Amino acid sequence: MIGQILFLLILAAAVAFFTRNAGKIRRNIKLGRPLDRSDNPAERWKTMARVALGQSKMVKRPFAALLHVFVYVGFVIINIEVLEILIDGVFGSHRVFSQPLGSLYGLLIGGFEVLALLVLISCLIFLARRNIVRLKRFTGIEMTAWPKGDANYILITEVLLMAAFLTMNAADHKLQLLHFGHYLQAGSFPVSDLLSPLLPADTKALVIIERGCWWFHIIGILVFLNYLPYSKHFHILLAFPNTYYSKLTPKGQFNNMASVTGEVKAMLDPSFVPETAEASRFGAKDVTDLTWKNLMDAYTCTECGRCTSVCPANITGKLLSPRKIMMDTRDRVTEIGNNIDKHGKDHQDGKTLLHDYITAEELWACTTCNACTEACPVNIDPLNIIVEMRRYLVMEESQAPTGLNNMFGNIENNGAPWKYAAADRFNWKPL
Ligand code: SF4
Ligand code: SF4
């Protein structure tokens, strides 16, 4: 009974803490400007099913994709076992699904064990790729101590959780074979049976191991759940809405500002009356000038570096890294959210995303090729943020590189990007 009460208290605290922190991320995302992405729901569901559920963009790197599928499928399916653990914890039962599921239960537990082993091996390989092989994709100026540690902590936790799951089953099965207490014959244990010779024969010690691993496993999962909002691993949840709300128009299609379009139309046609709604700012200086989708993108970033590894600017040694753009956006919006919590919603800290986090040099290094958006496994669009901040630099700060300023001047004076007068057009090139 004490165990059940303790379990309920821990569960209630974990769920309440997670709900509070997930609510803060939701609030932070809503700090962005409005954007209507409610169109074409059928296409959106398809995109989500293909990209988030089907992991379609992961297959471009087959080895990593296979390992990721093991971890992903293992994570989802082993949670059925967690459901049983939760019910057992609340009601003080033991393997509550074994009676109603009969022989199917054995198949399920056997399947979970194989998956647990695959997850464990995959996580060990992922750890080796990051820490021993040191793949270039996992390095970069933005991959400071925290992002590196974050990836490792989760992988190590998953290894420990899977090890605890298998050890728990091994001890449980041994107790079943000894017909001890309530440990009734239930389940099949193709993987954990290999651990049995390592366990003691004494039933008291076996019960301690089985119960210890049971508590470690469930508390570990609740800790994992509450770590998610502080980690890039929040993508486990946000990948689904983020792909649902993906941009459906062609990747290269930029959005025109309605106010500017209206002004140009009015210049060309004096009878045209532009709509009165005015933008408060041209482009984006801080995260609150970006849309909620840009901010959801930032919280969905897995920090995988696929975008940066294909970015021509980064490859040729420029300062730009699209992964850094997303991480900076997330860090800045989180900073604003923390300020709201501490000082109220009107607090100004004097910082902005542009200049304090992302420099003009990074932004102007972008070729707008869209390789980053194409490569992203969760349909994140770093280019949209880059373009919005460039727009601010040009239209609000008149800060454009000399080459662009010359072009703007030529368009203004000559009606063309080149330095020649319109009257001399036929002199540009010998016929
Ligand atoms: S669009 Fe810009 S940031 Fe993205 S890959 Fe191309 S150059 Fe890099
Ligand atoms: S933006 Fe996409 S590709 Fe780039 S690091 Fe984040 S998840 Fe990976």
Side-chain angles (χ1 to χ4, degrees):
M1 191 60 173
I2 292 174
Q4 282 168 260
I5 293 170
L6 187 64
F7 180 83
L8 274 172
L9 287 176
I10 293 172
L11 183 64
V15 171
F17 199 64
F18 174 77
T19 309
R20 174 177 163 269
N21 285 332
K24 282 186 183 180
I25 290 182
R26 184 169 178 269
R27 185 269 321 267
N28 291 353
I29 289 172
K30 287 173 84 176
L31 292 173
R33 284 194 295 107
L35 174 74
D36 186 8
R37 287 272 165 98
S38 59
D39 61 314
N40 211 341
E43 184 62 29
R44 294 189 177 283
W45 282 111
K46 259 194 261 169
T47 306
M48 186 181 84
R50 194 179 66 248
V51 180
L53 201 62
Q55 313 251 307
S56 60
K57 291 173 93 176
M58 295 289 290
V59 293
K60 287 180 185 154
R61 294 172 196 245
F63 183 59
L66 186 69
L67 298 180
H68 194 267
V69 163
F70 287 151
V71 175
Y72 168 71
V73 173
F75 178 82
V76 173
I77 294 184
I78 293 171
N79 276 329
I80 300 172
E81 166 84 7
V82 175
L83 185 65
E84 183 183 52
I85 291 179
L86 287 175
I87 296 173
D88 284 346
V90 172
F91 296 103
S93 50
H94 187 73
R95 295 197 178 267
V96 69
F97 290 162
S98 61
Q99 296 290 338
L101 292 181
S103 56
L104 180 64
Y105 186 78
L107 264 177
L108 277 176
I109 297 294
F112 294 159
E113 288 214 341
V114 173
L115 270 175
L117 181 66
L118 290 173
V119 171
L120 200 149
I121 293 169
S122 302
C123 289
L124 289 174
I125 296 174
F126 279 144
L127 276 168
R129 279 155 56 94
R130 284 180 179 270
N131 301 290
I132 300 170
V133 182
R134 291 180 194 276
L135 283 189
K136 189 170 183 300
R137 182 155 66 86
F138 300 127
T139 62
I141 48 165
E142 66 277 21
M143 297 308 281
T144 52
W146 165 247
K148 276 188 190 167
D150 180 28
N152 285 335
Y153 302 150
I154 286 285
L155 289 170
I156 292 167
T157 305
E158 292 203 34
V159 169
L160 293 176
L161 286 177
M162 293 305 116
F165 172 71
L166 291 172
T167 312
M168 175 186 81
N169 279 356
D172 192 312
H173 193 209
K174 220 162 172 175
L175 286 162
Q176 289 181 19
L177 295 177
L178 293 168
H179 304 289
F180 182 78
H182 61 266
Y183 292 92
L184 301 171
Q185 292 275 342
S188 69
F189 305 91
V191 179
S192 62
D193 270 353
L194 302 173
L195 297 173
S196 291
L198 304 175
L199 298 181
D202 174 44
T203 51
K204 217 170 169 184
L206 282 173
V207 171
I208 291 172
I209 291 171
E210 192 273 332
R211 286 292 85 192
C213 288
W214 187 93
W215 278 100
F216 179 85
H217 187 62
I218 190 63
I219 289 177
I221 285 172
L222 295 176
V223 169
F224 181 91
L225 179 75
N226 277 283
Y227 179 69
L228 288 184
Y230 298 97
S231 159
K232 68 168 186 142
H233 291 84
F234 205 63
H235 76 263
I236 293 170
L237 305 175
L238 278 186
F240 294 91
N242 202 60
T243 47
Y244 179 87
Y245 291 115
S246 304
K247 178 178 163 183
L248 295 182
T249 50
K251 285 194 183 64
Q253 185 175 318
F254 290 150
N255 65 322
N256 290 327
M257 289 187 69
S259 53
V260 176
T261 309
E263 271 186 46
V264 172
K265 281 186 180 167
M267 274 167 59
L268 296 173
D269 174 9
S271 65
F272 179 83
V273 183
E275 284 184 28
T276 45
E278 269 302 311
S280 55
R281 181 176 268 171
F282 294 111
K285 185 181 187 188
D286 208 350
V287 287
T288 45
D289 303 321
L290 296 170
T291 68
W292 62 264
K293 180 60 173 63
N294 294 135
L295 304 185
M296 184 185 270
D297 273 356
Y299 276 114
T300 311
C301 179
T302 71
E303 298 174 11
C304 68
R306 286 163 190 252
C307 51
T308 299
S309 71
V310 296
C311 171
N314 188 276
I315 292 168
T316 51
K318 311 286 190 306
L319 205 54
L320 175 64
S321 161
R323 171 173 56 191
K324 177 176 176 293
I325 300 287
M326 300 318 303
M327 290 168 71
D328 285 344
T329 304
R330 183 196 57 209
D331 291 350
R332 174 61 187 153
V333 71
T334 303
E335 183 177 50
I336 292 183
N338 291 342
N339 284 340
I340 292 173
D341 290 335
K342 276 190 208 143
H343 310 289
K345 69 178 171 51
D346 296 325
H347 177 79
Q348 300 291 332
D349 63 3
K351 291 195 209 166
T352 56
L353 180 64
L354 180 62
H355 302 312
D356 286 305
Y357 282 80
I358 298 171
T359 62
E361 185 183 346
E362 289 169 73
L363 297 175
W364 290 117
C366 177
T367 65
T368 65
C369 67
N370 258 313
C372 51
T373 40
E374 178 63 35
C376 181
V378 281
N379 280 3
I380 287 171
D381 184 358
L383 178 57
N384 187 251
I385 296 176
I386 293 171
V387 168
E388 286 299 327
M389 283 199 285
R390 278 187 180 185
R391 195 172 258 171
Y392 177 85
L393 281 170
V394 172
M395 298 180 81
E396 296 264 0
E397 290 190 350
S398 303
Q399 298 286 338
T402 316
L404 271 186
N405 275 333
N406 290 342
M407 186 192 73
F408 291 147
N410 289 334
I411 289 175
E412 207 172 330
N413 297 325
N414 307 327
W418 300 281
K419 62 181 177 180
Y420 308 106
D424 295 333
R425 280 191 183 178
F426 288 108
N427 298 336
W428 290 357
K429 191 169 168 244
L431 291 170

